[in-house]
Amino acid sequence: MSVHANAHAADELAIGCHLSVAQGYAAMGEVALSIGANTFSFFTRNPRGGNVRPLDVDDMRRLRMLMEANGFGRLVAHAPYTMNLCSKKEDVVVFARRAMAQDLERMEFLPGNYYNFHPGSHVGQGSDRGVELICDALNEVLFEGQATTVLLETMAGKGTEVGRTFEELAKILDGCVHDELLGVCLDTCHVWDGGYDVQGDLDGVLDEFDRVLGLERLKALHLNDSKNSLGAHKDRHERLGEGHIGLEAFARIVTDDRLRSLPMILETPNELEGYAREISLLRRLARGGEA
Ligand code: FE
Ligand code: FE
Ligand code: ZN
């Protein structure tokens, strides 16, 4: 298969891993190519402090050209995980909204990709109040005609996280004016820790997703094994095949007609070498090969 195909061929997965943005955007594209990836994720700003890199439009343009020349699938950018749109503290909410607005402005220089975020933690205010605050934020920040689809990530239900159930995510979508700009990113470790059995009953989980949210909302996957058992509400990622979900489940995921065309992002505890191995393993499994 030609690596220079203009869009990734239907039989090739769009798969990659989380990469560091420290050397810039085009550099991430080069790293992705070097490990056999044709998509990736990156933090739009410092994941803890929230600081942002100076805008380099030229660097972003170089990445776009590289992606086009190499048939990349859509990128799945990741908002900083400290960003909490439904905090009890007003300054935290104000910062989160401002950060997301600025991130989306910048994403316009990489049009047509995804921006994934953790819905937030309601910190004791209750799930309904959390959902309300998240909707208020999205209604303020999303703008008509934006070139980025914003994805709510399915969460493990650690602490007071909002988004552990598909129902909670559906409530957020229902409360958003611009719901056409929204989708869902399913994290296999998170849903597993949240109580959805993607190992024993992938079909059932996807049917449930379809019933509650509609499968057309599912735009991307985070592929992570889990250090914990079903329903543990922990959120500790493990390498594929070394956790409680197991490799057979990932073989089913990459061959499922409802999932195989989605960008798949690894967030497993790995260095680049480990990611390269997992990417080629998943490509092999997608072709029906042995692990
Ligand atoms: Fe995440
Ligand atoms: Fe994730
Ligand atoms: Zn996680």
Side-chain angles (χ1 to χ4, degrees):
M1 187 180 319
S2 165
V3 283
H4 295 290
N6 222 355
H8 65 275
D11 61 338
E12 196 188 351
L13 300 179
I15 185 159
C17 62
H18 190 84
L19 294 176
S20 165
V21 70
Q23 307 304 320
Y25 292 90
M28 284 191 287
E30 298 289 351
V31 170
L33 286 177
S34 76
I35 58 172
N38 53 354
T39 178
F40 58 88
S41 73
F42 60 95
F43 283 124
T44 50
R45 59 183 61 227
N46 183 303
R48 291 173 198 283
N51 291 335
V52 68
R53 310 164 47 79
L55 182 64
D56 186 345
V57 175
D58 207 52
D59 184 27
M60 294 170 105
R61 188 183 51 81
R62 284 201 303 278
L63 171 60
R64 265 168 30 217
M65 288 169 60
L66 178 147
M67 288 174 61
E68 220 174 281
N70 293 281
F72 272 43
R74 290 176 199 234
L75 305 178
V76 189
H78 200 306
Y81 46 75
T82 48
M83 191 177 95
N84 188 5
L85 293 174
C86 59
S87 170
K88 203 156 37 179
K89 296 182 187 154
E90 202 185 324
D91 57 323
V92 174
V93 171
V94 168
F95 170 78
R97 289 184 184 196
R98 205 184 297 136
M100 185 183 264
Q102 190 187 27
D103 284 354
L104 290 177
E105 255 170 57
R106 288 176 161 225
M107 289 288 292
E108 290 295 298
F109 294 103
L110 293 170
N113 292 297
Y114 295 126
Y115 176 79
N116 172 68
F117 77 105
H118 296 180
S121 292
H122 66 67
V123 287
Q125 303 178 96
S127 161
D128 288 347
R129 178 63 181 148
V131 167
E132 187 178 61
L133 282 167
I134 294 161
C135 291
D136 287 351
L138 292 172
N139 287 335
E140 179 187 288
V141 169
L142 301 191
F143 58 97
E144 188 116 35
Q146 69 178 46
T148 303
T149 302
V150 173
L151 306 184
L152 307 163
E153 182 167 352
T154 61
M155 301 310 295
K158 200 175 50 178
T160 63
E161 275 173 355
V162 178
R164 180 185 69 78
T165 64
F166 298 159
E167 282 79 4
E168 249 172 12
L169 296 174
K171 278 190 209 159
I172 299 172
L173 293 171
D174 281 346
C176 284
V177 181
H178 285 301
D179 73 312
E180 79 282 0
L181 301 173
L182 291 167
V184 173
C185 172
L186 186 146
D187 185 309
T188 54
C189 169
H190 295 179
V191 293
W192 168 262
D193 281 25
Y196 292 96
D197 188 1
V198 286
Q199 176 198 71
D201 188 18
L202 180 63
D203 272 341
V205 173
L206 294 179
D207 287 349
E208 178 78 355
F209 189 103
D210 194 30
R211 190 178 63 76
V212 178
L213 283 157
L215 270 175
E216 66 283 357
R217 288 283 183 194
L218 183 55
K219 304 294 189 191
L221 300 176
H222 284 173
L223 297 187
N224 303 305
D225 210 325
S226 173
K227 285 194 197 293
N228 292 100
S229 51
L230 179 66
H233 307 307
K234 284 275 180 27
D235 187 3
R236 306 237 358 248
H237 302 185
E238 182 53 283
R239 293 181 185 158
L240 302 190
E242 294 181 22
H244 286 252
I245 298 178
L247 220 46
E248 276 175 36
F250 291 101
R252 282 192 287 275
I253 286 168
V254 295
T255 51
D256 190 293
D257 282 336
R258 292 169 286 185
L259 304 178
R260 49 178 298 124
S261 64
L262 303 174
M264 301 178 184
I265 305 293
L266 294 159
E267 300 171 311
T268 48
N270 268 310
E271 303 296 323
L272 284 179
E273 238 171 82
Y275 281 131
R277 271 198 303 276
E278 286 189 343
I279 289 166
S280 76
L281 166 65
L282 289 167
R283 291 200 191 285
R284 207 153 59 238
L285 291 173
R287 290 190 300 265
E290 295 280 302

